[in-house]
Amino acid sequence: MSEGAMERFDVFLIGVGGQGIGLLSEALLRAADAAGLTVRGVDTHGLAQRGGVVSSHLRIGGAAHSPMVSKGRAQLVVALERHEALRGLTEWAAPGGALVYYDAVWQPLGVRLGQAAAVEAETVDAECARRNVTCARVCVDDLPDTRMQNVAVLAEIARRELLPGVARVHYRQALGDLLGGAALEANLALFDRLAT
């Protein structure tokens, strides 16, 4: 797909500090760049040092003058935690878009204190159906390391071809730019296994 033919594609990523949203966001950004697409991005780290919410905005192709995605306009919402998946879906997803999330649970403070109900996967599924959003739940039983959840989600995005104009080779190149040595080998092996 040529840059001129591609309309703007907005991606919103959300998770909890320490889950690897920064690496996932940078991998998506670099993959789009490797595909020859214009991409703008910005991270908001919040209380990442203390397990707070971390989010990233990516705008690919088209005439995007700001890196910030408007609420309710993200064609793709990516989350690394179930509660944050529901938040990302309800606040950021565009009707007809997609949600890809890793089904991990890092209980928010309100849940731990008994002030809010825990979010179940069925709740996320139902809300996706209500909003006409495609839902992809990722959970890998034999994940070698929990720090690889972000690459499992990246593989799902690649497998479903959710970023227009970005191919598997571009995601692999992005991982090669960001990782090295044994970490790169392990993550590429996981990516290749899950992306096919």
Side-chain angles (χ1 to χ4, degrees):
M1 175 177 291
S2 71
E3 176 74 23
M6 181 179 179
E7 292 183 23
R8 189 179 67 237
F9 190 87
D10 289 342
V11 182
F12 180 76
L13 299 93
I14 190 166
V16 176
Q19 287 190 294
I21 281 287
L23 178 72
L24 179 55
S25 174
E26 188 66 21
L28 290 171
L29 185 146
R30 289 181 186 226
D33 184 61
L37 301 171
T38 300
V39 59
R40 291 165 184 80
V42 66
D43 296 334
T44 56
H45 292 289
L47 299 173
Q49 299 288 329
R50 289 177 244 159
V53 175
V54 180
S55 63
S56 289
H57 301 249
L58 294 177
R59 304 186 92 191
I60 302 168
H65 302 291
S66 162
M68 300 294 286
V69 175
S70 297
K71 286 189 175 185
R73 296 287 183 92
Q75 287 102 329
L76 175 60
V77 173
V78 181
L80 290 180
E81 197 273 347
R82 191 188 307 149
H83 292 83
E84 298 308 330
L86 185 61
R87 182 199 321 255
L89 169 66
T90 58
E91 293 183 19
W92 296 92
L99 167 70
V100 178
Y101 76 100
Y102 198 90
D103 195 17
V105 175
W106 290 31
Q107 287 186 339
L109 185 59
V111 174
R112 280 183 263 157
L113 295 176
Q115 298 169 345
V119 171
E120 301 298 330
E122 295 78 16
T123 304
V124 178
D125 292 344
E127 190 62 22
C128 282
R130 192 177 80 73
R131 293 174 178 271
N132 188 31
V133 170
T134 300
C135 185
R137 176 184 166 271
V138 179
C139 186
V140 181
D141 292 332
D142 62 345
L143 195 67
D145 186 327
T146 57
R147 293 175 295 181
M148 298 169 83
Q149 292 173 350
N150 52 6
V151 173
V153 168
L154 185 70
E156 186 69 11
I157 292 167
R159 187 181 74 77
R160 290 177 176 256
E161 300 178 351
L162 292 175
L163 285 188
V166 181
R168 281 184 58 209
V169 66
H170 302 126
Y171 295 108
R172 292 183 99 259
Q173 181 178 335
L175 289 173
D177 289 347
L178 295 166
L179 301 169
L184 174 60
E185 290 179 20
N187 280 282
L188 281 178
L190 178 69
F191 177 84
D192 289 340
R193 174 165 68 97
L194 299 178
T196 54

